[in-house]
Amino acid sequence: QVQLVESGGGLVQPGGSLRLSCVASGSISRINSMGWYRQAPGKERELVAKITNGVTNYADSVKGRFTISRDNAKNTVYLQMNSLKPEDTAVYYCNANALMPAWQLYWGQGTQVTVSS
């Protein structure tokens, strides 16, 4: 099993920055990729960013503003969020894709990000 714990969410003004962290535990060696998703009230959960073997992908809405990175030594993935907009307000969920032995998706409980004046 893989356990994921997010942190770093909070209230920030438009144009501000936040860095989210996700610490993975359990069968760490089986994790192939990690990512961040978000879900706003009444909206579907959407991909924000993911990283696989150092290769990153971003939603068009966050390109140039968000950066995903992974520190394998700390079993942690980060999401640096700059130039935040009110529409970025959502619960952000950490995701991990692991081979157990079949591919499985794991999710954290989420951390709230609110962008407001």
Side-chain angles (χ1 to χ4, degrees), residues 94-115:
C94 182
N95 157 263
N97 189 356
L99 188 61
M100 299 290 245
W103 291 110
Q104 288 188 269
L105 294 176
Y106 295 88
W107 299 92
Q109 290 187 291
T111 184
Q112 177 71 47
V113 172
T114 302
V115 184

Side-chain angles (χ1 to χ4, degrees), residues 18-75:
L18 285 174
R19 188 178 74 160
L20 305 183
S21 299
C22 174
V23 180
S25 61
S27 301
I28 305 302
S29 63
R30 297 181 179 271
I31 296 175
N32 174 254
S33 64
M34 298 186 72
W36 289 94
Y37 291 69
R38 67 186 181 188
Q39 187 168 24
K43 300 290 186 179
E44 297 290 330
R45 186 174 298 186
E46 65 174 349
L47 172 69
V48 176
K50 67 187 304 180
I51 183 166
T52 306
N53 297 321
V55 179
T56 59
N57 296 100
Y58 298 92
D60 289 340
S61 60
V62 307
K63 286 181 179 178
R65 300 189 298 120
F66 291 10
T67 302
I68 187 171
S69 61
R70 184 175 177 181
D71 186 338
N72 291 321
K74 296 182 178 180
N75 301 318

